[in-house]
Each structure stands twice: as C-alpha cells, then as structure tokens.
Amino acid sequence: MTVQRQRIHLLLATTAAAFGFACGPVAAQGSYPNKTVLMIVPAAAGGTTDLAGRMAAQALAPVMGQSVVVENKGGGNGAIAANLVKRADADGYTLLMQYSGYHVISPHLTKAKSWEQSDFAPVANVLSAPQIIVVRAELPVKTMAELVAYAKAHPGKLNYASSGNGSLQHVTGAMLEQQAGVKMVHVPYKGTGPALQDLLGGQVDLTFGTAPPFMPHVQSGKLRVLAVTGKQRLPSLPNVPTTAEAGYPGVNATSWFAVFAPKATSQPVIDKLTADIKKVVEDPAFKKKAEEQGAAADYMNPQQLGAMVKTEYANWAQVVKSSKIEAE
C-alpha cells in the first residue's frame, strides 16, 4: 500500500470513528426512557408533595412507556431527598418532586447548606395550591376572628404543626402571629403526614397546609377549615373565606410542586420529560382530580419554572426577615 493510500485509509477510519462516537449519545438519548424512572419525594407519605408525586407518576407511566416509582425520603427540610437527587446520575432516571417551601424558603433558614438551587435543572411545575388554616374540631373556634381572640385570651397555649422548620406552613404561622399580634407554639414535623396524624389525635391545635391531605377529614367533620391563604376561594371549599376576606390580607401563601433533575441532565432528556409532563398536567382528568383535592394542575416549562424560582427565592427572603424566623 502506498503512503498516499495509507493516509486515505487512516482519514476514513478516523472519520468513521468520530461519526460513531458522535451518534452514540444521540441514539442513547433517543431511546429515553428505557427503564424505570425513580421520583424522589422530600416528605413522608400523606402530604400534598407526596400526592403530587404519586399523581404525576401514575399518569406519566403510560405516556413515557415505563414505570415511574415514587420513593419518599423525608427529613432535613428536604435536604435528604435533594442530596440524593443531586448525587444521582444525570440521565433522567432519578427526579425530584420538589415542594416550594423546601426550595425557596428553607435555604434562607439553613446555616449549613448541603445543596444549592443550581444543583438542579428545572423540568416542569405540576401542581399549585394555596394553604388552608385548619383546626381540630374540638378547638372552640369557627372563624379567624374567634381563633385570634382565643389566642389572645390564652397566650402561648395554642400550638401549630408544620412540615418542618422553614417550611411554608411555619412561615405562614409566623405571618399570622405577626399580623394578628398573637403568640403560638410552633411544632415542626418531618412532613405533613405526621403533622396531620397528631392534629387528628389532638396533640396539636391547628396547622397550615395545602388542602388535599385534609379534605377527607374536613368532610368527615374531624377537622375544620377557617380560611384559605390564596387570593381566591377554593372551588372545593366554596364557603370558606380567604384570609383577606377574614381581615388578614398579608397572610397570603401558595405552594407549588415541581419536577427537577440533576443539573447535568442533557437537554434532549429535559425536553422529553417536560413534554410528557405537559401532556399529563393538561389532561382534563388530571385537572379535575387536582381541583377535587383543593389544588390546581399548573404546568410551567423549564424556563418559566426557573424564572419563578428566582423571583420567589428573593420574595421569601424578605418575608422570612420580616417574620423574624431564625436560621437553624
């Protein structure tokens, strides 16, 4: 073989190898997903974060053509779940169903941070829901005015549950204390589920949270809803006033529940995930189920979700400061 032919053969071989290397990842991305997808929920079973994860997983499975398994990893104000997903392979097979309180409030209240928002790639928002103020049925109050009067007559006696220090429930309670001029005892739990159980058992007097986990107990008469912290009344609770209607417009808090992936996840995988979630969230059956639970199916694409995170992170920094909640 001549030197010229050797050079031609080498050039062709190098070009073929480079072409094959370039096509390899594309082919792999095109086959996503080809195995079970794991969705990590940063809370115990029973709360709205868990509901959002399970609703999304159940509806996503047939759309993606693969099983979507929910795994609850509560604790650490969401840090346990966040770190699991942060360290996971960035291949789209480990996702975080994040709760807004953990994502944009807890970071302001944690001295030793183990994760940053930049560790995650926004994928899609799934649900949004205002908080409700709910009390145990035995508590002798039926309105916000009566709750405030009771708190003033019994300073330091009322206690309220939250899903953890720095959670949206905690901040909502602090906002109410500040605006109503009352003092309550904060009792943090590792998620809404455990907090709900103690509320039903009478160990705590009230809590603040999204409606879904409380609705069955409200309907059975075991719990009583005093107000909705959003700007509008909930269709599932049409007779319950907003906090603004009850005289406390500053007690305004809405949660959102969104999917995030490890930051290095490729754009084709993010695009596939958000497109599939969009189909799910915009499905009429999904919307109806969310509304019946006191939430709203609320799709946002990665860009919209990322922008909301930045805005809310800045806004909640001011709320935390004015509410005088101290970092752990």
Side-chain angles (χ1 to χ4, degrees), residues 291-327:
E291 185 176 296
E292 289 172 348
Q293 297 291 331
D298 184 19
Y299 172 77
M300 292 183 194
N301 64 34
Q303 293 73 32
Q304 293 168 327
L305 176 57
M308 181 175 70
V309 167
K310 289 182 180 179
T311 298
E312 291 224 330
Y313 182 78
N315 290 343
W316 281 111
Q318 297 302 315
V319 173
V320 168
K321 183 178 180 180
S322 64
S323 298
K324 299 179 181 179
I325 299 176
E326 296 183 358

Side-chain angles (χ1 to χ4, degrees), residues 233-244:
R233 295 190 181 195
L234 285 173
S236 55
L237 295 167
N239 297 321
V240 176
T242 65
T243 44

Side-chain angles (χ1 to χ4, degrees), residues 212-236:
F214 301 100
M215 291 300 287
H217 308 291
V218 170
Q219 292 162 354
S220 70
K222 293 180 180 179
L223 299 177
R224 183 182 302 120
V225 183
L226 304 185
V228 175
T229 66
K231 296 180 180 179
Q232 298 179 334
R233 295 190 181 195
L234 285 173
S236 55

Side-chain angles (χ1 to χ4, degrees), residues 3-34:
V3 173
Q4 182 64 23
R5 286 187 177 180
Q6 285 178 332
R7 288 176 177 173
I8 293 173
H9 276 283
L10 179 60
L11 178 61
L12 291 173
T14 303
T15 303
F19 184 77
F21 179 79
C23 289
V26 175
Q29 290 166 354
S31 63
Y32 173 84
N34 55 28

